[in-house]
Amino acid sequence: MTGLDRNSVRRTAVLAGAALIVGLLPLASAGTAAAADPDPVPVDRFEGEVPFASQPAEGLFTWGGDADDPPELTLAERSDAPEGAKVLAGDYDISGYGGFTHDYAADQPGHDWSAHKGIRFWWDGQDNGKKTAFEIKDGGANGEASELWTTSFTDDFSGWKQIEIPFGDFTYRTDYQPVGGIDQVLGLTQMWGYAVTLPVGAPGRFAMDDVELYGKADQSLRASVTTDAAVYPVKEGGTASVKVSVATTGSAPIDEPVTVAYESAGGTAESGKDYTPVKGEITFPAGTESGASRTVRVPTLRDRTGEAAETVPLKLTVTGAKAPAETPQVVIDAHGLPYLDAKLPVKKRVADLLSRMSLAEKAGQMTQAERGAIGAGGDIAAYDLGSLLSGGGSTPTPNTPEAWAKMIDGYQLRAQATRFQIPLIYGVDAVHGHNNLAGATVMPHNIGIGATRDPALAERTGAVTAAEVRATGVPWDFAPCLCVTRDERWGRSYESFGEDPALVESMETVVQGLQGDRSGRDLKDDDRVLATAKHFVGDGGTAYGSSTTGSYTVDQGVTKVSRQELEAVHLAPFQEAVDRGVGTVMPSYSSLDLGDGQGPVKMHARADMINGVLKDRMGFDGFVISDWNAIDQLPGDYAAHVRTSVNAGVDMMMVPYGYKEFSATLIDEAKAGRVTDRRIDDAVARILAQKFRLGLFEKPYADTSGASAIGSTAHRAVARQAAAESQVLLKNAGSVLPLKKSQKVYVAGSNADDIGNQTGGWTITWQGSSGNITPGTTILQGMRKAGGDVTYSKDASASTAGYDVGVVVVGETPYAEGVGDVGNGNDLELTAADKAAVDTVCAAMKCAVLIVSGRPQLIGDRLGDVDALVASWLPGTEGDGVADVLYGRRAFTGQLPVTWPKSESQLPINVGDTSYDPQFPYGWGLTTLTNVPGGGTASLRALALVAAAAERAGARTVARTAVTKARLLVQQKIGTAVTAASAKPFADADHLLLTGHYADAVAKLTQAYRAG
């Protein structure tokens, strides 16, 4: 799925859109300050006292979405300047977003603004009617890592006017993700400056002067009353305890008394029958310490009747401080109803609950929102939401296991305020480990797992991922991707296990690693998660140039295949997933064209595939979840998007920020009969069944007992083994590898010491990023830990004299999805710097080149100068695993999961093609095992007999061993002299091996041997 791409967004940037505009502020001219007010405190006079600079120094700086968006700023002399002689002036022409910031110096403490009422400045109005966003920066480590609090004003006046903004008018930016020391409270004691976002869409100019703090902070602005929760579930007959606290900015004692009148009133519970009403007043006297609390108790009553949950709002009226943002609710738990009985079969529980639900409640269960869209979470109950997700990089602050669990528990608590207390199902894209979580164990991407040819290891990687994900409160993983990648220009190539559907099917043991037993009986365990087979169907077959999504070239394009090819290549892995009991399936963004006259049809609209093939023919009994806003790509208006996708068989819609519109539209379509009650009931029943199987009704909150194992030595050992087994040795002239610890090794290249490049996209953020983004071991660090005598020069600029061997680690920088498509700013060539490093090192000494990438890179023009070549793929956080094979602790055993092309013009190129002349064929992979068989054709004849006999006897292990020995023998003869005549039968042999045709595989290898 698509995540939230913030890599190109400056930390201070304001994204364009109405969601960020709070509204028009009152525009007030400066009046005479009250006698008791403190003197104004200057922030910016724009006389030159604050320079144009950037972090970590104090200064003014500009930013924008692209090179044209940052405004041009100057300190201009103006005779009409409201203060002094100069003003800050600028011109702008912004298409995306742009503005400027004043940050205080990061190496100094933040400023204390808490004594003041607000911030004000002079603005030279152009009377253009446009809104300008104004933000202040609070808390965090510095101006670039702080909370943003936002508001706006409208330029509907001419000439200078002083804009006064009380601090109470600022609201928290929920879509912005700072990085530490964050409490979502405007403390005002550690302020880092302000930011101005200028209007978009037309050229403009502005002038600003004299930014200053004004007025005296009254207590209601710096003191607030809060409750310890918004929802208080209690069993019938129990007593709810509501903790009411007073807190102040800066934690100073309150100056004046604060009173809180409380009264139980309204709600669905009946006073005197379901609860004992309460009414009273709490007083916090002047001098009360910040953080002091009192408790209000609300007793509930037993009536011994089974019923749904009932609410008792506790109305709070506050004097002398800011009141809570929400009225706290006591919730008398649902009880005595059949669906709550864990002893009943899931089918009966689903039927009972479904029979009680309203249309609105059913629509809510079919709706999934992004965590960043729901603020404090009140909409969870208001819209009966069934699911939330974190898009790529959408994380709590701080990004720790504890914060994840606390966040999700808070959302689950909100769901307890609904009638039937149906728990949320929270989902994440944990596509190679819990990759959104800093410090989690990050596995090799799927292409590397495919290279291991080790189904048992694939299952273990899934089990580690499941354990780490579930320990943070997340029960649902949008993985694995079962795409069969057919064109390495695709930006999602690394999400595939390979180009052969038989290889993809063999790696689907990962489903059991995630979910456990095929029956689903393990899903309730604290180390299992619901898996998602994606993307149904044909996403790996999209044609180059067929995408209509932005600048994408391959991703989300059109897969044009015959029905026979669709069945054999793209559908086969999904049948395997269904047979393995996968719990959810996600359709693809792409379109399918079967040559039947319909033309390309988006998969989210293909009822023939989702209802007809997946659910009816394959027997899939889980639920179908859409991709991120995927229904918006369907033809017609929004109502057509909704009814088309739901009627096609999509059960839950991922509508991250459009959940209100989706829910309302689905209700309207159902009332109009365009979506039937039967279809809605089927969708909701499927969703509820998985929630029951996950045990969420009994245990909705995070079980963090396994959190201590996140990133543990044991978990990293699995990732280390996967990294080692994923390494594919393509060439090894003169047995350069394995290295010896006695050798002096010269290491160079852009990817030798970069954990971000090594882990690739979908790591911490959607697109991933270079640099030290999460704990792990780089390849260079792994080599040093292995005991090697290693010298490192990233660009190979250090002297190359006196070394025994060089290791150059090159390749790609991170990307995800269509952003990584070739032709969308990417190609398959090494960078100029990487080529220079290879040339320098390999000219000076024997050398091994490691390519860290999500797909093959074009290396043919340098292959003759390289002694050893390794496809390292994207090995994850455990560079020790790469070092293990480099230094011989483990043998190289990996095999190519995709064909390695000679040139981009050959693409697409795949095993089974009629014309097949690659650099290295599918299945290729040399070994550093010492017992590589010899004996030529005689040995091949003997191995053919063994394979045939074992195949007849059903002795698969013996048969596979025979084929492997034959493959190694053939590779030893061919070396790097791969020809079309040898490559095609060699690749075919690996497909035959995976499909259980062992004797035929040896026959093909014999053919390759004779051609080699």
Side-chain angles (χ1 to χ4, degrees):
M1 59 162 281
T2 301
L4 305 176
D5 183 15
R6 296 189 179 88
N7 292 338
S8 62
V9 182
R10 296 225 38 157
R11 303 295 294 183
T12 51
V14 181
L15 300 178
L20 302 181
I21 305 300
V22 175
L24 174 63
L25 295 173
L27 303 178
S29 297
T32 303
D37 285 357
D39 291 335
V41 173
V43 176
D44 274 331
R45 298 179 61 244
F46 302 120
E47 300 298 309
E49 77 284 2
V50 177
F52 293 101
S54 61
Q55 289 288 341
E58 179 175 3
L60 293 160
F61 66 97
T62 62
W63 38 262
D66 57 39
D68 297 328
D69 285 343
E72 296 289 335
L73 300 184
T74 184
L75 296 177
E77 291 198 15
R78 288 271 294 261
S79 59
D80 63 343
E83 190 277 338
K86 298 178 180 178
V87 302
L88 180 69
D91 297 298
Y92 59 87
D93 186 2
I94 303 168
S95 58
Y97 62 87
F100 62 92
T101 289
H102 175 189
D103 272 359
Y104 294 136
D107 59 357
Q108 300 292 320
H111 293 210
D112 187 346
W113 293 1
S114 63
H116 296 273
K117 180 179 182 179
I119 190 168
R120 66 189 181 193
F121 51 88
W122 289 89
W123 191 265
D124 186 12
Q126 306 300 308
D127 199 18
N128 56 25
K130 293 183 177 292
K131 290 187 176 183
T132 296
F134 188 88
E135 294 183 333
I136 55 178
K137 302 180 165 198
D138 173 52
N142 54 62
E144 295 294 86
S146 55
E147 292 180 346
L148 294 184
W149 292 74
T150 186
T151 188
S152 68
F153 63 92
T154 300
D155 187 343
D156 57 359
F157 54 94
S158 298
W160 290 104
K161 179 171 278 190
Q162 192 173 42
I163 311 297
E164 290 192 344
I165 309 176
F167 290 130
D169 286 349
F170 286 92
T171 59
Y172 182 68
R173 276 276 304 277
T174 58
D175 65 323
Y176 168 74
Q177 311 255 340
V179 292
I182 306 301
D183 56 10
Q184 298 185 19
V185 174
L186 183 56
L188 298 173
T189 59
Q190 191 184 14
M191 302 301 295
W192 293 102
Y194 64 86
V196 176
T197 299
L198 295 164
V200 302
R205 62 185 179 85
F206 78 94
M208 182 181 189
D209 199 14
D210 192 24
V211 183
E212 65 183 12
L213 309 176
Y214 75 95
K216 178 183 178 182
D218 59 63
Q219 181 164 285
S220 64
L221 285 177
R222 68 181 189 87
S224 60
V225 168
T226 61
T227 58
D228 56 327
V231 179
Y232 296 84
V234 61
K235 293 186 182 299
E236 186 188 43
T239 298
S241 296
V242 179
K243 186 178 178 181
V244 180
S245 303
V246 63
T248 62
T249 300
S251 299
I254 57 176
D255 297 330
E256 303 165 8
V258 173
T259 60
V260 183
Y262 60 87
E263 180 180 7
S264 56
T268 59
E270 186 176 338
S271 177
K273 176 185 176 185
D274 297 311
Y275 69 97
T276 301
V278 296
K279 185 176 182 179
E281 186 174 276
I282 297 169
T283 299
F284 295 97
T288 298
E289 294 294 324
S290 178
S293 63
R294 305 285 187 272
T295 300
V296 176
R297 291 180 171 80
V298 182
T300 68
L301 303 172
R302 288 184 182 275
D303 60 12
R304 302 186 182 279
T305 302
E307 54 193 345
E310 298 170 307
T311 58
V312 185
L314 187 64
K315 182 181 178 182
L316 303 179
T317 304
V318 178
T319 304
K322 189 176 181 180
E326 295 181 69
T327 297
Q329 290 192 83
V330 174
V331 179
I332 305 171
D333 287 340
H335 55 278
L337 302 177
Y339 78 89
L340 296 169
D341 186 354
K343 296 178 182 179
L344 288 178
V346 167
K347 191 172 183 179
K348 287 189 175 181
R349 298 180 75 181
V350 169
D352 176 68
L353 178 51
L354 194 62
S355 70
R356 301 174 186 278
M357 296 171 67
S358 68
L359 175 59
E361 288 165 331
K362 292 173 183 177
Q365 286 301 301
M366 295 173 67
T367 307
Q368 184 182 65
E370 217 285 331
R371 60 171 287 278
I374 62 166
D379 278 355
I380 292 171
Y383 291 88
D384 293 289
L385 294 179
S387 182
L388 296 179
L389 83 151
S390 279
S394 179
T395 66
T397 301
N399 187 3
T400 63
E402 296 79 12
W404 274 88
K406 182 180 179 181
M407 174 185 73
I408 294 169
D409 281 356
Y411 296 143
Q412 290 288 18
L413 181 63
R414 294 287 189 161
Q416 295 298 299
T418 60
R419 268 207 312 164
F420 300 114
Q421 300 181 305
I422 303 173
L424 295 164
I425 180 169
Y426 199 101
V428 297
D429 285 273
V431 298
H432 61 142
H434 198 354
N435 43 257
N436 279 313
L437 171 64
T441 307
V442 179
M443 302 291 172
H445 269 294
N446 282 354
I447 197 166
I449 300 298
T452 70
R453 295 300 202 280
D454 189 341
L457 180 58
E459 183 171 349
R460 291 175 64 203
T461 65
V464 168
T465 299
E468 296 199 1
V469 168
R470 194 70 182 256
T472 59
V474 178
W476 185 14
D477 185 3
F478 303 129
C481 185
L482 302 183
C483 48
V484 181
T485 179
R486 306 295 283 177
D487 188 336
E488 277 61 59
R489 291 172 291 188
W490 187 33
R492 302 191 84 137
S493 293
Y494 62 76
E495 293 190 54
S496 173
F497 292 114
E499 69 186 33
D500 183 352
L503 175 57
V504 175
E505 289 176 61
S506 72
M507 293 295 112
E508 290 186 52
T509 50
V510 70
V511 173
Q512 263 57 66
L514 294 167
Q515 291 194 169
D517 191 80
R518 298 176 187 225
S519 68
R521 69 187 181 199
D522 298 332
L523 285 172
K524 64 184 182 301
D525 294 348
D526 63 5
D527 59 353
R528 300 294 182 182
V529 294
L530 198 66
T532 307
K534 64 183 189 182
H535 303 90
F536 186 83
V537 58
D539 56 335
T542 50
Y544 188 86
S546 66
S547 181
T548 56
T549 300
S551 56
Y552 294 5
T553 58
V554 185
D555 192 38
Q556 304 184 23
V558 179
T559 299
K560 187 171 184 178
V561 290
S562 66
R563 286 193 176 272
Q564 182 179 7
E565 186 179 351
L566 179 71
E567 293 282 349
V569 176
H570 300 291
L571 276 172
F574 286 92
Q575 182 65 69
E576 176 71 16
V578 171
D579 293 344
R580 288 183 173 276
V582 74
T584 62
V585 169
M586 182 183 291
S588 176
Y589 281 115
S590 58
S591 300
L592 185 60
D593 185 348
L594 295 174
D596 54 6
Q598 292 188 66
V601 179
K602 285 284 184 181
M603 278 306 308
H604 283 73
R606 293 215 65 137
D608 60 329
M609 289 290 135
I610 301 174
N611 285 329
V613 174
L614 178 65
K615 291 182 175 179
D616 294 343
R617 195 188 83 191
M618 292 184 177
F620 174 62
D621 64 357
F623 70 88
V624 175
I625 170 70
S626 87
D627 211 331
W628 179 285
N629 278 336
I631 65 171
D632 291 348
Q633 297 187 6
L634 302 183
D637 59 14
Y638 191 71
H641 299 168
V642 171
R643 65 174 172 269
T644 299
S645 54
V646 172
N647 286 334
V650 183
D651 301 306
M652 181 185 286
M653 221 60 68
M654 189 185 292
V655 279
Y657 294 88
Y659 58 93
K660 296 177 184 178
E661 184 181 11
F662 170 76
S663 180
T665 304
L666 177 58
I667 291 169
D668 289 344
E669 291 298 293
K671 288 180 176 177
R674 291 184 287 268
V675 177
T676 66
D677 292 344
R678 182 177 179 182
R679 170 77 269 268
I680 288 177
D681 284 355
D682 173 62
V684 177
R686 289 170 176 269
I687 295 163
L688 294 177
Q690 298 297 3
K691 291 185 177 184
F692 282 121
R693 289 177 183 132
L694 284 162
L696 294 176
F697 281 82
E698 289 71 49
K699 294 172 64 177
Y701 303 114
D703 181 342
T704 59
S705 58
S708 61
I710 294 174
S712 65
T713 301
H715 284 185
R716 290 183 184 274
V718 175
R720 178 175 181 167
Q721 181 183 347
E725 291 191 23
S726 72
Q727 303 299 293
V728 180
L729 184 59
L730 299 172
K731 179 183 178 181
N732 195 23
S735 298
V736 169
L737 296 176
L739 304 172
K740 300 177 181 64
K741 292 181 182 178
S742 60
Q743 290 176 311
K744 291 187 66 178
V745 182
Y746 187 101
V747 179
S750 60
N751 287 348
D753 194 33
D754 193 307
I755 202 74
N757 290 354
Q758 186 177 304
T759 51
W762 285 111
T763 308
I764 306 304
T765 59
W766 173 39
Q767 289 293 312
S769 60
S770 301
N772 189 24
I773 61 173
T774 192
T777 303
T778 66
I779 294 171
L780 174 67
Q781 291 168 340
M783 293 176 69
R784 286 174 170 160
K785 288 168 66 178
D789 183 355
V790 171
T791 297
Y792 174 58
S793 175
K794 181 176 180 179
D795 60 358
S797 60
S799 172
T800 56
Y803 292 93
D804 299 307
V805 64
V807 175
V808 192
V809 189
V810 296
E812 295 184 309
T813 54
Y815 55 81
E817 304 189 35
V819 177
D821 283 352
V822 168
N824 189 18
N826 309 284
D827 56 37
L828 299 180
E829 298 280 350
L830 299 179
T831 65
D834 278 349
K835 289 178 180 178
V838 170
D839 292 345
T840 299
V841 176
C842 294
M845 65 193 82
K846 291 181 179 180
C847 71
V849 173
L850 276 61
I851 299 180
V852 174
S853 64
R855 53 197 168 190
Q857 303 290 283
L858 302 175
I859 193 73
D861 57 342
R862 284 171 170 74
L863 189 58
D865 301 321
V866 171
D867 298 291
L869 181 64
V870 179
S872 286
W873 309 115
L874 298 169
T877 51
E878 306 314 300
D880 286 322
V882 181
D884 285 341
V885 292
L886 289 178
Y887 277 98
R889 184 174 182 268
R890 288 180 180 270
F892 278 94
T893 57
Q895 295 176 246
L896 283 181
V898 294
T899 300
W900 197 284
K902 289 180 178 178
S903 67
E904 190 175 318
S905 64
Q906 288 185 311
L907 297 174
I909 183 171
N910 296 288
V911 58
D913 287 355
T914 303
S915 176
Y916 190 74
D917 185 20
Q919 192 84 67
F920 297 102
Y922 168 77
W924 186 266
L926 304 176
T927 186
T928 49
L929 290 168
T930 56
N931 57 343
V932 176
T937 54
S939 291
L940 286 171
R941 283 195 297 270
L943 290 168
L945 293 172
V946 171
E951 185 177 336
R952 287 193 300 270
R956 289 183 296 177
T957 301
V958 173
R960 292 178 66 86
T961 301
V963 177
T964 298
K965 287 181 177 181
R967 178 177 62 82
L968 295 176
L969 188 156
V970 171
Q971 286 180 156
Q972 190 173 52
K973 180 190 179 187
I974 294 175
T976 56
V978 178
T979 64
S982 62
K984 182 171 174 52
F986 186 94
D988 290 343
D990 202 60
H991 172 74
L992 290 166
L993 168 66
L994 287 163
T995 54
H997 297 90
Y998 306 112
D1000 290 344
V1002 177
K1004 285 288 184 181
L1005 288 168
T1006 302
Q1007 181 182 339
Y1009 181 88
R1010 288 171 177 156

